[in-house]
């Protein structure tokens, strides 16, 4: 069923996770460097976008959802740029500052309409800062309808197991975009949304759909999660819950850039669940959202009007 824009605007989602600044440098390439066999890019334009958990939050806000973002950043220019982007998107940021932390920046150099190189700047937050975010998380929980954890493996979710337990005690649905091969830290969540490669790192490479279903259901039961949503690129996505698998085929589209597509999928799921839809009802719309966003360049969002067109 389609949700009204007004109903979706009443939904409140708390996003917790690793934020980053996605920086794009666009330029012309018309010669090869005499110093090495690499192109010389003459930069003509720069652009900053929300990245990581910040992109997830931006996707929620673009759908009209009341969005709060909890994370850790450094005391640097990148953090200030990121905070300005969040506020411009209508997101309520709760960003702890760690002077020893370098805010994660992913710099992409674009020439001739293609990415030439990506340069990452990052380090890991101190445990003390993460602990303070656990306290802030507990204070924010009562005013939200769902919690979304965006794990990019940058150290911002050191206390995620405690946070999930706290959220479930409040009776809130908990959605997790996972990272790494140890999913035990996500035990008790409502939904985990791995892609194909991420799931293979946890359960191994499956040889058939029957084997996939068996292994995923075993994992789901062991973790005590309500469902696992496997995103399968051109094959669409499959939801595994207590009633079995539910697959939705992808719609034929021109894929321009898959960057951030997983962010859009889980953000859409969280928005719809927070607004009262079931996981199964939300899956087709999340699949549509993922298909729409890959037609755009870089980390991008879609609006309510695009989703329900």
């Amino acid at each position: 069923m389609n949700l009204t824009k007004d109903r979706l605007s009443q939904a409140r989602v708390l996003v917790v996770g690793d934020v980053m600044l996605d920086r794009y440098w666009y330029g012309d390439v018309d010669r090869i460097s005499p110093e090495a066999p690499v192109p010389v890019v003459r930069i003509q334009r720069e652009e900053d976008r929300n990245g990581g958990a910040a992109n997830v939050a931006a996707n929620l806000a673009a759908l009209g959802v009341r969005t709060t973002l909890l994370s850790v950043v450094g005391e640097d220019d990148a953090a200030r740029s990121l905070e300005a982007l969040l506020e411009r998107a209508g997101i309520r940021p709760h960003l702890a500052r760690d002077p020893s932390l370098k805010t994660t920046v992913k710099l992409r150099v674009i020439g001739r309409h293609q990415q030439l190189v990506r340069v990452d700047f990052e380090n890991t937050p101190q445990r003390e800062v993460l602990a303070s975010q656990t306290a802030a998380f507990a204070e924010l929980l009562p005013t939200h309808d769902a919690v979304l954890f965006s794990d990019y493996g940058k150290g911002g979710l050191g206390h995620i197991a405690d946070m999930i337990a706290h959220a479930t005690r409040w009776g809130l649905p908990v959605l997790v975009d996972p990272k790494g091969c140890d999913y035990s830290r996500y035990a008790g969540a409502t939904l985990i949304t791995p892609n194909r490669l991420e799931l293979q790192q946890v359960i191994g490479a499956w040889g058939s759909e029957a084997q996939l279903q068996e292994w995923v259901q075993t994992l789901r039961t062991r973790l005590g999660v309500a469902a696992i949503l496997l995103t399968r690129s051109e094959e669409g996505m499959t939801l595994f819950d207590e009633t079995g698998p539910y697959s939705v085929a992808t719609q034929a589209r021109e894929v321009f850039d898959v960057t951030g597509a997983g962010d859009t999928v889980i953000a859409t799921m969280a928005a719809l669940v927070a607004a009262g839809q079931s996981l199964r009802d939300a899956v087709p719309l999340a699949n549509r959202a993922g298909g729409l966003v890959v037609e755009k360049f870089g980390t991008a969002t879609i609006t309510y009007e695009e989703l329900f067109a």
Side-chain angles (χ1 to χ4, degrees):
M1 69 175 177
N2 284 7
L3 289 172
T4 65
K5 192 171 186 178
D6 182 65
R7 177 68 188 91
L8 203 57
S9 71
Q10 299 304 309
R12 304 164 300 175
V13 177
L14 172 59
V15 179
V16 188
D18 301 306
V19 297
M20 55 192 74
L21 184 67
D22 280 4
R23 179 160 283 163
Y24 295 85
W25 287 358
Y26 301 90
D28 286 338
V29 180
D30 51 23
R31 64 190 179 98
I32 300 298
S33 170
E35 304 164 0
V38 296
V40 175
V41 186
R42 189 172 68 255
I43 301 300
Q44 296 183 326
R45 180 168 65 91
E46 300 178 20
E47 181 185 8
D48 287 346
R49 300 188 189 184
N50 291 300
N55 184 48
V56 175
N59 271 272
L60 282 157
L63 290 171
V65 174
R66 299 181 185 182
T67 308
T68 305
L69 175 63
L70 182 67
S71 190
V72 183
V73 294
E75 285 280 5
D76 50 27
D77 288 339
R80 288 182 281 275
S81 297
L82 188 57
E83 193 162 30
L85 286 172
L86 292 169
E87 292 176 350
R88 197 178 309 153
I91 298 162
R92 290 194 304 157
H94 289 260
L95 304 178
R97 305 280 181 164
D98 179 357
S100 68
L101 178 67
K102 181 180 294 183
T103 302
T104 298
V105 176
K106 291 185 177 180
L107 169 61
R108 297 171 174 89
V109 180
I110 312 297
R112 293 180 179 174
H113 306 292
Q114 65 181 13
Q115 182 173 311
L116 301 178
V117 65
R118 193 182 92 183
V119 183
D120 291 2
F121 306 87
E122 63 188 31
N123 60 7
T124 304
Q126 297 176 350
R127 297 289 293 183
E128 291 78 5
V129 179
L130 296 177
S132 70
Q133 289 300 74
T134 304
F137 175 78
E139 294 178 5
L140 290 167
L141 269 184
T143 57
H144 292 85
D145 302 305
V147 181
L148 191 165
F149 291 100
S150 180
D151 192 351
Y152 271 81
K154 306 300 182 185
L157 289 173
H159 294 78
I160 189 172
D162 293 338
M163 289 179 169
I164 290 175
H166 199 150
T168 54
R169 284 196 295 271
W170 272 96
L172 296 179
V174 176
L175 298 85
V176 181
D177 192 356
K179 197 72 172 180
C181 57
D182 179 15
Y183 281 13
S184 62
R185 58 206 300 261
Y186 309 133
T190 306
L191 179 71
I192 303 177
T193 62
N195 60 33
R196 217 163 13 198
L197 178 59
E198 289 167 340
L199 187 61
Q200 285 177 352
Q201 291 174 344
V202 178
I203 66 173
W206 51 89
S208 65
E209 283 296 309
Q211 189 176 58
L212 169 63
Q213 180 179 347
E214 179 186 351
W215 288 0
V216 173
Q217 293 291 24
T218 298
L219 175 66
R220 188 185 66 81
T221 302
R222 177 167 59 83
L223 296 176
V225 302
I228 294 176
L229 178 63
L230 172 62
T231 56
R232 314 178 73 167
S233 301
E234 71 280 357
E235 296 177 9
M237 55 183 62
T238 303
L239 182 78
F240 298 89
D241 59 17
E242 62 180 0
T243 62
Y246 168 50
S247 295
V248 179
T250 190
Q251 300 176 9
R253 296 187 182 278
E254 182 178 353
V255 177
F256 189 73
D257 192 344
V258 298
T259 304
D263 295 342
T264 300
V265 168
I266 194 169
T268 305
M269 290 293 296
L272 299 176
V273 169
Q277 284 200 333
S278 69
L279 291 175
R280 288 207 165 207
D281 286 340
V283 166
L285 284 168
N287 185 57
R288 172 174 167 76
L292 287 168
V293 83
V294 298
E295 295 179 323
K296 303 183 180 185
F297 177 76
T299 46
T301 63
I302 61 167
T303 63
Y304 175 91
E305 287 74 19
E306 288 175 296
L307 183 59
F308 290 101

